[in-house]
Amino acid sequence: MKRNLLYLLLGIFLLASCQQEEMLNAETGYGYLSVSELSVATTQVHVVSSRADEEPLTIEILKDGETVQTLTETELANKIKLEAGTGYSLKVYSSDYGKESEWTNEDKGTPVYYAEKKFEILTEQTTQVKVEVPMTNFGVSFQFPEEYKEVFPSCTLSVKVGGRTVALQSGETAYFTYQAGTPFSYTLTATNKDNEPLTDTGSYGEEAEQTIASGTIYTVSYEMETQSLNITE
């Protein structure tokens, strides 16, 4: 009789524990985040492209401003289990994000990418998220006609934005922090075979129709026919 009573009490205790656990799971709950697409928008060519051959991005999942997970792009292929709730955001950025102010005149810089997207996790459901990551700074590249490099063996373009000036050889690109309304200026310095100097200067972004935009690379090229610098984007 005592044994039967003990079994009965034990059964009641286990049942109550299971019910309590089920209630707790129902109250908290878990769901999943699925990043179905992660791509980078490149404004200068008006396409959205994969970054498979570029430096990997860092992905953070935040809850109420606190990082709860840090992932690689590869790990995004799997569903991510998260506690149900609001206040979530997905932050995606390149390694130089937030470091642009440290670049000196000797640094060419890099394209900087950043995006942040808010989302909510529902119990036993999968939240689908697509993220397009824009380039937040801009670049200036230099192109000198290949056929004239023998005539001008020494040729440099100095690009100035704010207090930073970067020297470029033909084919190189420098990146600068984007600030609305801030133009860039440039100076071409070349020397021909006879040691005669060639200097040309200019600027872009000071006139109303010359709007500098983030995510854009501006190419400064020298046209021998007009003996002047030309800018394309």
Side-chain angles (χ1 to χ4, degrees), residues 16-191:
S17 298
C18 290
Q19 289 177 339
Q20 185 177 10
E21 184 177 354
E22 289 176 359
M23 289 176 62
L24 183 62
N25 288 335
E27 288 174 1
T28 56
Y30 288 87
Y32 296 90
L33 170 68
S34 176
V35 181
S36 57
E37 183 180 326
L38 178 66
S39 56
V40 169
T42 51
T43 306
Q44 65 270 28
V45 289
H46 305 289
V47 298
V48 175
S49 62
S50 168
R51 302 183 73 255
D53 297 327
E54 298 183 23
E55 177 189 2
L57 297 167
T58 297
I59 300 102
E60 290 185 24
I61 297 176
L62 297 90
K63 179 75 163 64
D64 298 326
E66 298 292 331
T67 301
V68 294
Q69 287 193 44
T70 300
L71 307 166
T72 64
E73 293 180 64
T74 303
E75 292 172 319
L76 289 182
N78 303 318
K79 289 184 179 180
I80 303 159
K81 184 177 180 180
L82 295 168
E83 185 177 328
T86 59
Y88 281 105
S89 61
L90 186 71
K91 184 186 291 187
V92 184
Y93 55 92
S94 56
S95 61
D96 270 345
Y97 172 71
K99 301 177 182 178
E100 301 97 316
S101 61
E102 301 174 5
W103 292 343
T104 67
N105 294 344
E106 285 69 43
D107 297 317
K108 297 294 190 297
T110 63
V112 175
Y113 298 95
Y114 177 82
E116 187 169 352
K117 191 161 189 176
K118 299 183 183 299
F119 63 93
E120 179 181 359
I121 294 295
L122 303 176
T123 302
E124 297 182 356
Q125 294 188 34
T126 299
T127 300
Q128 297 278 350
V129 174
K130 292 183 179 181
V131 184
E132 182 179 276
V133 189
M135 176 177 155
T136 60
N137 55 352
F138 73 96
V140 179
S141 67
F142 175 45
Q143 294 295 333
F144 195 77
E146 192 70 31
E147 60 270 27
Y148 293 109
K149 288 184 179 179
E150 290 186 7
V151 180
F152 291 92
S154 174
C155 187
T156 301
L157 184 78
S158 297
V159 182
K160 182 178 181 181
V161 179
R164 181 167 163 245
T165 302
V166 181
L168 298 176
Q169 302 301 312
S170 182
E172 293 184 329
T173 303
Y175 294 88
F176 300 89
T177 301
Y178 169 73
Q179 288 185 328
T182 300
F184 67 85
S185 59
Y186 48 88
T187 300
L188 173 70
T189 305
T191 304

